[in-house]
Amino acid sequence: EVQLVESGGGLVKPGGSLRLSCAASGFTLTNAWMKWVRQAPGKGLEWIGRIKGKAEGGTTDHAAPLKGRFTISRDDSKNTLYLQMNSLKNEDTAVYYCTHYRDSSGLRADTWGQGTLVTVSS
Amino acid sequence: QAVVTQEPSLTVSPGGTVTLTCGSSTGAVISNHYPYWLQQKPGQAPRTLIYDTTYKHSWTPDRFSGSLLGGKAALTLSGAQPEDDAEYYCLLSYSGVGVFGGGTKLTVL
């Protein structure tokens, strides 16, 4: 079964850091194109960033407002995607989703994790 | 960063037809923006209905279709069903960087 499981969310103080993990099962991340999306309570979706498959160089793109604070990476040996979040602000409070949306072959997917809640508060 | 605009809310009668649109602050939406349309119901993760303007996933009901219309991306629902009552988000790509619209709350009533 194809599945994504996020972890690492929780309560963090403003200015703090957190690393979210997204463990994949049922498929390999190596050539998967993945993205992170977040949703603040009662609000809409926000695109955080994406990472291409290894065949495309594994390059990343990040949303301009978050660039420099948020970084996407991947550990193929652990089949896990990461989101490193630094200098967290109250407005970063949200449910964070990882999603697999295509492969290097061009095949489309639409697998979402269950989401992990990050709360930034003093 | 570009701003993507959607109607905040729309209402459609059961069996009716409605078109949701998605505009860009940078100008006309074109195929190179690779428009996506996602549906989200309360308490659930989103799911993609349409990608790359017109393409459907295997689970996308036939009554949904995507297009470019008047300089915007459009999602047309023909023959609305009660289960289509949901929030709909469009997503545009700007040279690889994605931006979501604010979402359209579609009520089937």
Side-chain angles (χ1 to χ4, degrees), chain B residues 1-14:
Chain B
Q1 175 162 285
V3 176
V4 176
T5 55
Q6 298 182 244
E7 298 86 0
S9 64
L10 290 169
T11 299
V12 61
S13 301

Side-chain angles (χ1 to χ4, degrees), chain A residues 98-117:
Chain A
C98 63
T99 171
H100 170 215
Y101 68 104
R102 61 162 287 178
D103 288 327
S104 295
S105 65
L107 188 67
R108 297 313 172 108
D110 191 48
T111 305
W112 292 71
Q114 82 287 357
T116 186
L117 177 63

Side-chain angles (χ1 to χ4, degrees), chain A residues 35 37-39 43-48 50 61-65 97 101-102 108-114, chain B residues 1 34 36 38 40 44-49 51-52 57 59 89 91 93 95-102:
Chain A
K35 62 187 173 193
V37 173
R38 71 181 181 181
Q39 187 167 34
K43 302 295 185 182
L45 302 176
E46 183 177 7
W47 192 92
I48 296 172
R50 66 127 182 230
D61 291 287
H62 297 82
Y97 296 100
Y101 68 104
R102 61 162 287 178
R108 297 313 172 108
D110 191 48
T111 305
W112 292 71
Q114 82 287 357
Chain B
Q1 175 162 285
Y34 303 103
Y36 271 59
L38 296 85
Q40 187 179 32
Q44 297 181 16
R47 67 170 186 166
T48 301
L49 296 176
Y51 62 92
D52 293 359
H57 281 289
W59 55 82
Y89 295 93
L91 171 64
S93 176
S95 299
V97 176
V99 181
F100 278 105

Side-chain angles (χ1 to χ4, degrees), chain A residues 4-9 18-24 29 32-37 48-52 58-62 69-86 96-99 116:
Chain A
L4 294 170
V5 178
E6 299 101 337
S7 60
L18 210 56
R19 188 178 78 160
L20 304 183
S21 300
C22 170
L29 281 184
W33 292 38
M34 305 289 294
K35 62 187 173 193
W36 285 95
V37 173
I48 296 172
R50 66 127 182 230
I51 184 166
K52 294 182 180 180
T59 55
T60 57
D61 291 287
H62 297 82
R69 293 198 301 124
F70 286 24
T71 304
I72 296 171
S73 64
R74 182 179 60 216
D75 185 334
D76 290 341
S77 68
K78 295 182 179 179
N79 215 33
T80 300
L81 179 74
Y82 299 103
L83 178 65
Q84 178 66 44
M85 305 186 294
N86 299 328
Y96 287 73
Y97 296 100
C98 63
T99 171
T116 186

